[in-house]
Amino acid sequence: MTTTPRAFLILHGWQNHRPPAHWQHWLADRLTGLGHDVTYPQLPDPDDPSLERWLTDLEGHLAGLGADGTERVVVAHSLSAVLWLHAVDRKLPGTAAVDRTLLVAPPSAAVLVTYPEVTEFAPPPLDGLTFPAPTRLVAGDDDPYLPEGAQTAYGDPLGLTAELLPGAAHLDLEAGYGSWPSVLEWCLDADTRLTVRP
């Protein structure tokens, strides 16, 4: 694994208060320990989020992400994966400077609209949405928040091939994702194949 310095922005999902046992916290700790610049912010009001406030916060974090010449990487889980789609759709300042993105377990529109707290996060039109940088999509093949399947809900309209992880559900603590070695490997090497945790 290379230790070339990079800048990482790790974005959490709905109701996530960044518990130390979550794989994103685990990932932030390990990347920081390897000398990388890591931003893992608590987004505003995670239990009752506002799309506009989250976008404003995201813009601020993107503005401070990495120095010139540093690879900039975004890792977004669950609701923040959908947040990223809104940011790209709106051409939010800073999105074009990101070098690669990992979207993990985005919940489907059909699920989001059933929860009043996050209805406004339902994804923008996906057909024709163009990512400014290489983007990977990974989800459990049995994600309860993605009943249509990642390929149908997101992969096909976005022109991405979803990487489906058997039995990984929503890739959260409930599914046992307190650590996730292959996502750390992907952060250090973009060609890494994402796999279920051991």
Side-chain angles (χ1 to χ4, degrees):
M1 293 184 192
T2 180
T3 55
T4 303
R6 297 181 174 90
F8 294 93
L9 176 58
I10 301 174
L11 301 168
H12 65 75
W14 182 33
Q15 299 177 331
N16 188 324
H17 294 262
R18 300 177 304 164
H22 194 284
W23 67 264
Q24 287 191 308
H25 208 298
W26 173 90
L27 179 64
D29 288 347
R30 273 144 189 81
L31 290 170
T32 299
L34 290 171
H36 298 286
D37 178 8
V38 179
T39 303
Y40 180 31
Q42 181 71 70
L43 297 172
D45 300 317
D47 296 312
D48 191 11
S50 156
L51 175 60
E52 296 306 321
R53 284 195 67 198
W54 276 30
L55 284 166
T56 298
D57 234 48
L58 174 58
E59 183 177 349
H61 293 301
L62 288 171
L65 185 64
D68 288 344
T70 301
E71 185 184 21
R72 297 173 173 94
V73 183
V74 171
V75 178
H77 178 243
S78 191
L79 193 63
S80 277
V82 184
L83 173 72
W84 188 254
L85 299 179
H86 283 283
V88 170
D89 179 58
R90 297 186 188 195
K91 296 180 172 54
L92 193 74
T95 53
V98 171
D99 295 293
R100 56 186 166 110
T101 305
L102 180 64
L103 304 178
V104 180
S108 74
V111 168
L112 289 171
V113 298
T114 66
Y115 294 95
E117 301 93 333
V118 292
T119 296
E120 66 177 329
F121 282 81
L126 302 179
D127 290 324
L129 192 66
T130 302
F131 292 107
T135 300
R136 287 177 66 175
L137 169 65
V138 62
D141 67 354
D142 56 346
D143 190 336
Y145 302 106
L146 199 47
E148 312 94 313
Q151 190 61 44
T152 298
Y154 289 105
D156 290 341
L158 291 170
L160 301 174
T161 300
E163 299 173 53
L164 300 178
L165 304 185
H170 196 52
L171 289 131
D172 54 10
L173 272 173
E174 189 174 321
Y177 279 77
S179 63
W180 187 10
S182 76
V183 78
L184 174 61
E185 293 167 11
W186 176 83
C187 284
L188 303 176
D189 179 356
D191 294 325
T192 296
R193 179 174 169 266
L194 291 156
T195 61
V196 295
R197 66 180 301 274

PDB file of all heavy atoms in Angstrom, residues 160-184:
ATOM      1  N   LEU A 160     -23.074   3.362 -14.398  1.00  0.00           N
ATOM      2  CA  LEU A 160     -22.077   2.734 -13.531  1.00  0.00           C
ATOM      3  C   LEU A 160     -22.392   1.254 -13.375  1.00  0.00           C
ATOM      4  O   LEU A 160     -23.549   0.843 -13.484  1.00  0.00           O
ATOM      5  CB  LEU A 160     -22.081   3.386 -12.143  1.00  0.00           C
ATOM      6  CG  LEU A 160     -21.794   4.879 -12.055  1.00  0.00           C
ATOM      7  CD1 LEU A 160     -21.983   5.364 -10.609  1.00  0.00           C
ATOM      8  CD2 LEU A 160     -20.374   5.185 -12.528  1.00  0.00           C
ATOM      9  N   THR A 161     -21.369   0.484 -13.111  1.00  0.00           N
ATOM     10  CA  THR A 161     -21.579  -0.921 -12.776  1.00  0.00           C
ATOM     11  C   THR A 161     -21.505  -1.055 -11.265  1.00  0.00           C
ATOM     12  O   THR A 161     -20.449  -0.835 -10.663  1.00  0.00           O
ATOM     13  CB  THR A 161     -20.508  -1.818 -13.431  1.00  0.00           C
ATOM     14  OG1 THR A 161     -20.600  -1.664 -14.852  1.00  0.00           O
ATOM     15  CG2 THR A 161     -20.721  -3.274 -13.050  1.00  0.00           C
ATOM     16  N   ALA A 162     -22.629  -1.369 -10.656  1.00  0.00           N
ATOM     17  CA  ALA A 162     -22.668  -1.504  -9.204  1.00  0.00           C
ATOM     18  C   ALA A 162     -21.862  -2.724  -8.773  1.00  0.00           C
ATOM     19  O   ALA A 162     -21.955  -3.787  -9.383  1.00  0.00           O
ATOM     20  CB  ALA A 162     -24.105  -1.629  -8.729  1.00  0.00           C
ATOM     21  N   GLU A 163     -21.069  -2.532  -7.736  1.00  0.00           N
ATOM     22  CA  GLU A 163     -20.327  -3.641  -7.143  1.00  0.00           C
ATOM     23  C   GLU A 163     -21.164  -4.153  -5.976  1.00  0.00           C
ATOM     24  O   GLU A 163     -21.349  -3.449  -4.983  1.00  0.00           O
ATOM     25  CB  GLU A 163     -18.955  -3.158  -6.687  1.00  0.00           C
ATOM     26  CG  GLU A 163     -18.128  -2.616  -7.849  1.00  0.00           C
ATOM     27  CD  GLU A 163     -16.834  -1.966  -7.394  1.00  0.00           C
ATOM     28  OE1 GLU A 163     -16.068  -2.603  -6.655  1.00  0.00           O
ATOM     29  OE2 GLU A 163     -16.610  -0.803  -7.780  1.00  0.00           O
ATOM     30  N   LEU A 164     -21.694  -5.364  -6.121  1.00  0.00           N
ATOM     31  CA  LEU A 164     -22.620  -5.910  -5.130  1.00  0.00           C
ATOM     32  C   LEU A 164     -21.884  -6.842  -4.183  1.00  0.00           C
ATOM     33  O   LEU A 164     -21.204  -7.776  -4.611  1.00  0.00           O
ATOM     34  CB  LEU A 164     -23.750  -6.655  -5.835  1.00  0.00           C
ATOM     35  CG  LEU A 164     -24.599  -5.801  -6.792  1.00  0.00           C
ATOM     36  CD1 LEU A 164     -25.659  -6.650  -7.466  1.00  0.00           C
ATOM     37  CD2 LEU A 164     -25.225  -4.627  -6.058  1.00  0.00           C
ATOM     38  N   LEU A 165     -22.039  -6.584  -2.892  1.00  0.00           N
ATOM     39  CA  LEU A 165     -21.375  -7.379  -1.878  1.00  0.00           C
ATOM     40  C   LEU A 165     -22.394  -8.317  -1.230  1.00  0.00           C
ATOM     41  O   LEU A 165     -23.377  -7.861  -0.637  1.00  0.00           O
ATOM     42  CB  LEU A 165     -20.743  -6.473  -0.823  1.00  0.00           C
ATOM     43  CG  LEU A 165     -19.751  -5.433  -1.357  1.00  0.00           C
ATOM     44  CD1 LEU A 165     -19.113  -4.677  -0.200  1.00  0.00           C
ATOM     45  CD2 LEU A 165     -18.686  -6.078  -2.220  1.00  0.00           C
ATOM     46  N   PRO A 166     -22.176  -9.617  -1.325  1.00  0.00           N
ATOM     47  CA  PRO A 166     -23.147 -10.584  -0.801  1.00  0.00           C
ATOM     48  C   PRO A 166     -23.346 -10.442   0.702  1.00  0.00           C
ATOM     49  O   PRO A 166     -22.379 -10.411   1.468  1.00  0.00           O
ATOM     50  CB  PRO A 166     -22.511 -11.936  -1.141  1.00  0.00           C
ATOM     51  CG  PRO A 166     -21.523 -11.659  -2.223  1.00  0.00           C
ATOM     52  CD  PRO A 166     -21.034 -10.269  -1.986  1.00  0.00           C
ATOM     53  N   GLY A 167     -24.615 -10.331   1.100  1.00  0.00           N
ATOM     54  CA  GLY A 167     -24.956 -10.316   2.514  1.00  0.00           C
ATOM     55  C   GLY A 167     -24.478  -9.108   3.291  1.00  0.00           C
ATOM     56  O   GLY A 167     -24.476  -9.138   4.518  1.00  0.00           O
ATOM     57  N   ALA A 168     -24.106  -8.031   2.603  1.00  0.00           N
ATOM     58  CA  ALA A 168     -23.556  -6.858   3.296  1.00  0.00           C
ATOM     59  C   ALA A 168     -24.632  -5.875   3.744  1.00  0.00           C
ATOM     60  O   ALA A 168     -24.317  -4.878   4.397  1.00  0.00           O
ATOM     61  CB  ALA A 168     -22.548  -6.140   2.408  1.00  0.00           C
ATOM     62  N   ALA A 169     -25.890  -6.134   3.381  1.00  0.00           N
ATOM     63  CA  ALA A 169     -27.020  -5.292   3.767  1.00  0.00           C
ATOM     64  C   ALA A 169     -26.704  -3.812   3.489  1.00  0.00           C
ATOM     65  O   ALA A 169     -26.321  -3.467   2.373  1.00  0.00           O
ATOM     66  CB  ALA A 169     -27.407  -5.542   5.216  1.00  0.00           C
ATOM     67  N   HIS A 170     -26.827  -2.953   4.514  1.00  0.00           N
ATOM     68  CA  HIS A 170     -26.639  -1.509   4.297  1.00  0.00           C
ATOM     69  C   HIS A 170     -25.209  -1.061   4.616  1.00  0.00           C
ATOM     70  O   HIS A 170     -24.943   0.138   4.707  1.00  0.00           O
ATOM     71  CB  HIS A 170     -27.647  -0.722   5.140  1.00  0.00           C
ATOM     72  CG  HIS A 170     -27.809   0.697   4.733  1.00  0.00           C
ATOM     73  ND1 HIS A 170     -28.088   1.104   3.439  1.00  0.00           N
ATOM     74  CD2 HIS A 170     -27.722   1.849   5.463  1.00  0.00           C
ATOM     75  CE1 HIS A 170     -28.171   2.416   3.393  1.00  0.00           C
ATOM     76  NE2 HIS A 170     -27.946   2.904   4.596  1.00  0.00           N
ATOM     77  N   LEU A 171     -24.310  -2.008   4.775  1.00  0.00           N
ATOM     78  CA  LEU A 171     -22.911  -1.692   5.078  1.00  0.00           C
ATOM     79  C   LEU A 171     -22.825  -0.724   6.260  1.00  0.00           C
ATOM     80  O   LEU A 171     -22.140   0.294   6.219  1.00  0.00           O
ATOM     81  CB  LEU A 171     -22.193  -1.132   3.849  1.00  0.00           C
ATOM     82  CG  LEU A 171     -21.949  -2.202   2.785  1.00  0.00           C
ATOM     83  CD1 LEU A 171     -22.401  -1.724   1.423  1.00  0.00           C
ATOM     84  CD2 LEU A 171     -20.490  -2.591   2.741  1.00  0.00           C
ATOM     85  N   ASP A 172     -23.519  -1.082   7.313  1.00  0.00           N
ATOM     86  CA  ASP A 172     -23.528  -0.268   8.515  1.00  0.00           C
ATOM     87  C   ASP A 172     -23.181  -1.130   9.720  1.00  0.00           C
ATOM     88  O   ASP A 172     -22.845  -2.308   9.578  1.00  0.00           O
ATOM     89  CB  ASP A 172     -24.883   0.428   8.685  1.00  0.00           C
ATOM     90  CG  ASP A 172     -26.056  -0.555   8.653  1.00  0.00           C
ATOM     91  OD1 ASP A 172     -25.837  -1.781   8.692  1.00  0.00           O
ATOM     92  OD2 ASP A 172     -27.213  -0.088   8.602  1.00  0.00           O
ATOM     93  N   LEU A 173     -23.269  -0.550  10.897  1.00  0.00           N
ATOM     94  CA  LEU A 173     -22.924  -1.293  12.104  1.00  0.00           C
ATOM     95  C   LEU A 173     -23.825  -2.505  12.296  1.00  0.00           C
ATOM     96  O   LEU A 173     -23.375  -3.572  12.719  1.00  0.00           O
ATOM     97  CB  LEU A 173     -23.015  -0.378  13.326  1.00  0.00           C
ATOM     98  CG  LEU A 173     -21.752   0.413  13.659  1.00  0.00           C
ATOM     99  CD1 LEU A 173     -22.036   1.396  14.784  1.00  0.00           C
ATOM    100  CD2 LEU A 173     -20.614  -0.519  14.036  1.00  0.00           C
ATOM    101  N   GLU A 174     -25.095  -2.348  11.980  1.00  0.00           N
ATOM    102  CA  GLU A 174     -26.039  -3.459  12.135  1.00  0.00           C
ATOM    103  C   GLU A 174     -25.631  -4.649  11.271  1.00  0.00           C
ATOM    104  O   GLU A 174     -25.873  -5.802  11.631  1.00  0.00           O
ATOM    105  CB  GLU A 174     -27.443  -2.987  11.773  1.00  0.00           C
ATOM    106  CG  GLU A 174     -28.537  -3.984  12.099  1.00  0.00           C
ATOM    107  CD  GLU A 174     -29.922  -3.415  11.859  1.00  0.00           C
ATOM    108  OE1 GLU A 174     -30.141  -2.232  12.166  1.00  0.00           O
ATOM    109  OE2 GLU A 174     -30.776  -4.163  11.358  1.00  0.00           O
ATOM    110  N   ALA A 175     -25.005  -4.359  10.136  1.00  0.00           N
ATOM    111  CA  ALA A 175     -24.544  -5.420   9.241  1.00  0.00           C
ATOM    112  C   ALA A 175     -23.140  -5.908   9.595  1.00  0.00           C
ATOM    113  O   ALA A 175     -22.574  -6.744   8.892  1.00  0.00           O
ATOM    114  CB  ALA A 175     -24.567  -4.919   7.797  1.00  0.00           C
ATOM    115  N   GLY A 176     -22.569  -5.360  10.672  1.00  0.00           N
ATOM    116  CA  GLY A 176     -21.256  -5.816  11.124  1.00  0.00           C
ATOM    117  C   GLY A 176     -20.084  -5.045  10.554  1.00  0.00           C
ATOM    118  O   GLY A 176     -18.940  -5.482  10.673  1.00  0.00           O
ATOM    119  N   TYR A 177     -20.362  -3.871   9.960  1.00  0.00           N
ATOM    120  CA  TYR A 177     -19.282  -3.110   9.336  1.00  0.00           C
ATOM    121  C   TYR A 177     -18.691  -2.082  10.304  1.00  0.00           C
ATOM    122  O   TYR A 177     -18.830  -0.876  10.143  1.00  0.00           O
ATOM    123  CB  TYR A 177     -19.752  -2.481   8.018  1.00  0.00           C
ATOM    124  CG  TYR A 177     -19.704  -3.515   6.927  1.00  0.00           C
ATOM    125  CD1 TYR A 177     -20.693  -4.492   6.837  1.00  0.00           C
ATOM    126  CD2 TYR A 177     -18.630  -3.602   6.061  1.00  0.00           C
ATOM    127  CE1 TYR A 177     -20.625  -5.494   5.885  1.00  0.00           C
ATOM    128  CE2 TYR A 177     -18.550  -4.596   5.107  1.00  0.00           C
ATOM    129  CZ  TYR A 177     -19.556  -5.537   5.019  1.00  0.00           C
ATOM    130  OH  TYR A 177     -19.464  -6.538   4.081  1.00  0.00           O
ATOM    131  N   GLY A 178     -18.017  -2.628  11.312  1.00  0.00           N
ATOM    132  CA  GLY A 178     -17.238  -1.804  12.217  1.00  0.00           C
ATOM    133  C   GLY A 178     -15.840  -1.596  11.673  1.00  0.00           C
ATOM    134  O   GLY A 178     -15.154  -0.634  11.998  1.00  0.00           O
ATOM    135  N   SER A 179     -15.413  -2.498  10.841  1.00  0.00           N
ATOM    136  CA  SER A 179     -14.166  -2.332  10.083  1.00  0.00           C
ATOM    137  C   SER A 179     -14.450  -2.849   8.681  1.00  0.00           C
ATOM    138  O   SER A 179     -15.371  -3.640   8.479  1.00  0.00           O
ATOM    139  CB  SER A 179     -13.014  -3.108  10.727  1.00  0.00           C
ATOM    140  OG  SER A 179     -13.282  -4.499  10.706  1.00  0.00           O
ATOM    141  N   TRP A 180     -13.644  -2.370   7.728  1.00  0.00           N
ATOM    142  CA  TRP A 180     -13.856  -2.772   6.338  1.00  0.00           C
ATOM    143  C   TRP A 180     -12.522  -2.617   5.609  1.00  0.00           C
ATOM    144  O   TRP A 180     -12.253  -1.596   4.981  1.00  0.00           O
ATOM    145  CB  TRP A 180     -14.945  -1.908   5.704  1.00  0.00           C
ATOM    146  CG  TRP A 180     -15.365  -2.330   4.335  1.00  0.00           C
ATOM    147  CD1 TRP A 180     -15.037  -3.475   3.667  1.00  0.00           C
ATOM    148  CD2 TRP A 180     -16.201  -1.579   3.443  1.00  0.00           C
ATOM    149  NE1 TRP A 180     -15.615  -3.496   2.429  1.00  0.00           N
ATOM    150  CE2 TRP A 180     -16.334  -2.353   2.269  1.00  0.00           C
ATOM    151  CE3 TRP A 180     -16.849  -0.350   3.544  1.00  0.00           C
ATOM    152  CZ2 TRP A 180     -17.092  -1.910   1.184  1.00  0.00           C
ATOM    153  CZ3 TRP A 180     -17.598   0.089   2.470  1.00  0.00           C
ATOM    154  CH2 TRP A 180     -17.723  -0.680   1.300  1.00  0.00           C
ATOM    155  N   PRO A 181     -11.672  -3.639   5.713  1.00  0.00           N
ATOM    156  CA  PRO A 181     -10.318  -3.517   5.168  1.00  0.00           C
ATOM    157  C   PRO A 181     -10.248  -3.143   3.692  1.00  0.00           C
ATOM    158  O   PRO A 181      -9.383  -2.364   3.294  1.00  0.00           O
ATOM    159  CB  PRO A 181      -9.714  -4.896   5.431  1.00  0.00           C
ATOM    160  CG  PRO A 181     -10.442  -5.386   6.645  1.00  0.00           C
ATOM    161  CD  PRO A 181     -11.848  -4.883   6.484  1.00  0.00           C
ATOM    162  N   SER A 182     -11.144  -3.659   2.871  1.00  0.00           N
ATOM    163  CA  SER A 182     -11.005  -3.380   1.436  1.00  0.00           C
ATOM    164  C   SER A 182     -11.296  -1.924   1.094  1.00  0.00           C
ATOM    165  O   SER A 182     -10.783  -1.405   0.098  1.00  0.00           O
ATOM    166  CB  SER A 182     -11.853  -4.330   0.587  1.00  0.00           C
ATOM    167  OG  SER A 182     -13.211  -3.993   0.608  1.00  0.00           O
ATOM    168  N   VAL A 183     -12.106  -1.225   1.905  1.00  0.00           N
ATOM    169  CA  VAL A 183     -12.322   0.196   1.604  1.00  0.00           C
ATOM    170  C   VAL A 183     -11.069   0.998   1.929  1.00  0.00           C
ATOM    171  O   VAL A 183     -10.740   1.963   1.230  1.00  0.00           O
ATOM    172  CB  VAL A 183     -13.575   0.751   2.316  1.00  0.00           C
ATOM    173  CG1 VAL A 183     -13.326   1.044   3.785  1.00  0.00           C
ATOM    174  CG2 VAL A 183     -14.076   2.008   1.614  1.00  0.00           C
ATOM    175  N   LEU A 184     -10.344   0.596   2.954  1.00  0.00           N
ATOM    176  CA  LEU A 184      -9.049   1.232   3.235  1.00  0.00           C
ATOM    177  C   LEU A 184      -8.090   0.988   2.076  1.00  0.00           C
ATOM    178  O   LEU A 184      -7.405   1.913   1.615  1.00  0.00           O
ATOM    179  CB  LEU A 184      -8.465   0.697   4.537  1.00  0.00           C
ATOM    180  CG  LEU A 184      -7.051   1.161   4.895  1.00  0.00           C
ATOM    181  CD1 LEU A 184      -6.979   2.679   5.051  1.00  0.00           C
ATOM    182  CD2 LEU A 184      -6.561   0.461   6.168  1.00  0.00           C
TER     183      LEU A 184
END
